[in-house]
Amino acid sequence: MPSVHIVGGGVAGFTLARELVRKGYAGNIKISDPEGLPYDRPPLSKSLQREYFVPPAWFEQHGVSLIQENITELVAPTAEDEWVVLATGNTPKKLQVPGAEHIRSLHTATDAADLSAALEDGMFGQRVLVIGAGLVGAEFAATAKMLGAQVTLVSNSEAPLSNVLGVEMAAVLHAEHSRHGITVLSGELAEAGAGYAVVGGQRIEAEILVAAIGVEPETTLAQAMGLEINDGILVDDQQRTTTFRQVLAIGDGARMTQRSRAVHWEAAMEDAAIAAATIMGGDARPHSVPWFWSDRHDSHIEAVGDFTRATQHVSRLNRRGQLQVLFGLNEAGNLVAASMIDGGQMSKAVKRLIARGYTPSIEELQDSSVGPRDLGRQEKA
């Protein structure tokens, strides 16, 4: 009987199972995941909460087998109606310093629950030290501060996430931490111990130490299967691995050849839609313009496109003269990226313009009176 074995129950793995159910797949669907019931990861750092995609009854109702297990070995299927899909995601980078075992991570629901309990059980105003000011680090720092902790945030950059937000926007957002009462330090972590860390020669005391220095693709199983790996499990435009046609890879752990690896929620869902089409022999939409969002303090942040391709930045200020939208143009003057704070419908408008290959004038990009619906009005004229 036809079958699909999905290894990993994150957003990519679960979305694939849901897509197959929606499309009426007639074979067996199985999800293997060491944590059991699939849940969404963004709420972990934003609110230290586990939010399940669907209740347990959904799996039984739709005939999807959900097995809590850690798969370490798999044989690639050879039959054309049997599929293995690796949705193994990513794993946190580890600090290589003396005493690193004293520093917590924030990657799983268990990590979030442990940190939530530590913050709730500890004294009000207890000290929290966060190493790394990327998405997870910044979101957790804001959450810990909101829960009453004294937070110190350490970064080796004055503009973390500049590659995805643009330097100007990244710097503005990083500076916001100080405005909300977080102590921000620049420097390298040298060592850690029970209740302290040494950063840039300075000893910092803290009851809770957390590292959020980035992630890397989880490829342990892929390597055991002999799959081709280069900053992720290499796949073609149908999500097939370059080694076995019946083995697909999707989500944060996969990378399409000739493209950079995408590590965000929407890309994982699009991978799953493509994989479902491959399994069922249909057509799928190609990946859309990249987009992601983040919440920290009282701001909603969005980014569209690829700032690594931008050589020129155009700023749009709000009525208070503060940066609200940063547009990125490439060498040819084409719009390729944008980041924004509380931008409303602006991200959708920019995404549409980038997809169509249309670039508004510099004056139009800068003019705050030109709303998202009117941005690019010359194209419609």
Side-chain angles (χ1 to χ4, degrees):
M1 185 175 183
S3 65
V4 178
H5 183 187
I6 304 168
V7 182
V11 62
F14 171 73
T15 301
L16 173 56
R18 185 177 60 188
E19 284 294 304
L20 292 173
V21 168
R22 286 178 176 175
K23 292 176 180 292
Y25 179 71
N28 294 321
I29 304 172
K30 174 184 175 181
I31 299 177
S32 297
D33 189 277
E35 296 187 80
L37 190 62
Y39 61 87
D40 205 6
R41 288 193 181 274
L44 298 184
S45 54
K46 292 176 172 66
S47 58
L48 299 179
Q49 295 180 344
R50 183 201 308 239
E51 296 182 5
Y52 296 112
F53 292 119
V54 291
W58 182 92
F59 296 90
E60 182 176 355
Q61 177 184 353
H62 295 287
V64 177
S65 299
L66 176 61
I67 310 297
Q68 186 169 356
E69 59 183 343
N70 185 26
I71 301 293
T72 58
E73 293 184 66
L74 268 182
V75 176
T78 55
E80 292 188 357
D81 60 354
E82 294 181 356
W83 302 86
V84 165
V85 184
L86 302 185
T88 49
N90 52 43
T91 188
K93 292 180 179 178
K94 295 182 179 180
L95 288 165
Q96 303 297 323
V97 298
E101 66 273 13
H102 295 283
I103 303 178
R104 304 168 184 253
S105 62
L106 176 52
H107 185 67
T108 67
T110 299
D111 295 335
D114 290 345
L115 284 167
S116 179
L119 288 167
E120 291 179 5
D121 295 343
M123 295 180 60
F124 186 84
Q126 66 182 318
R127 296 162 298 183
V128 174
L129 176 65
V130 184
I131 311 296
L135 286 177
V136 172
E139 289 175 356
F140 171 68
T143 298
K145 180 62 181 178
M146 181 184 65
L147 294 175
Q150 297 182 59
V151 182
T152 299
L153 180 62
V154 176
S155 174
N156 57 10
S157 168
E158 295 295 334
L161 296 172
S162 59
N163 61 323
V164 294
L165 296 171
V167 174
E168 296 91 334
M169 181 64 76
V172 165
L173 290 170
H174 191 52
E176 281 291 299
H177 293 301
S178 298
R179 288 187 59 251
H180 287 84
I182 292 175
T183 300
V184 178
L185 298 178
S186 296
E188 297 287 343
L189 176 69
E191 66 173 280
Y196 79 92
V198 178
V199 177
Q202 177 183 356
R203 181 184 171 104
I204 303 170
E205 307 288 340
E207 285 74 40
I208 299 175
L209 308 176
V210 180
I213 59 172
V215 294
E216 53 192 9
E218 174 50 65
T219 59
T220 304
L221 180 58
Q223 289 175 330
M225 296 178 69
L227 303 183
E228 188 178 2
I229 297 167
N230 184 355
D231 187 31
I233 307 164
L234 290 182
V235 297
D236 63 13
D237 58 3
Q238 293 184 309
Q239 303 296 146
R240 296 179 188 262
T241 62
T242 57
T243 310
F244 300 110
R245 286 183 57 79
Q246 301 305 112
V247 177
L248 312 184
I250 59 178
D252 292 353
R255 180 173 76 83
M256 282 189 174
T257 54
Q258 311 304 318
R259 286 188 56 175
S260 299
R261 187 166 59 91
V263 187
H264 51 83
W265 193 80
E266 187 178 50
M269 295 186 69
E270 292 177 345
D271 280 3
I274 294 172
T278 299
I279 290 169
M280 299 193 68
D283 296 324
R285 293 182 180 179
H287 284 92
S288 62
V289 177
W291 166 83
F292 78 87
W293 62 277
S294 176
D295 287 329
R296 60 174 78 170
H297 305 299
D298 52 2
S299 297
H300 179 69
I301 303 151
E302 295 180 81
V304 182
D306 183 1
F307 266 102
T308 65
R309 298 173 54 204
T311 58
Q312 177 186 359
H313 293 168
V314 178
S315 299
R316 174 180 287 205
L317 308 182
N318 61 21
R319 293 178 180 177
R320 299 187 300 275
Q322 300 167 330
L323 180 64
Q324 183 171 27
V325 185
L326 183 69
F327 299 98
L329 310 181
N330 64 12
E331 290 184 353
N334 299 322
L335 180 65
V336 294
S339 57
M340 59 216 71
I341 302 173
D342 300 327
Q345 297 298 309
M346 182 62 74
S347 64
K348 291 183 179 180
V350 174
K351 195 172 186 180
R352 182 181 67 249
L353 291 171
I354 294 175
R356 294 178 178 176
Y358 179 80
T359 302
S361 66
I362 299 296
E363 292 74 20
E364 196 173 353
L365 293 175
Q366 292 175 324
D367 189 350
S368 61
S369 68
V370 179
R373 292 184 179 181
D374 295 324
L375 193 64
R377 59 180 176 265
Q378 294 178 3
E379 179 194 29
K380 303 171 187 177

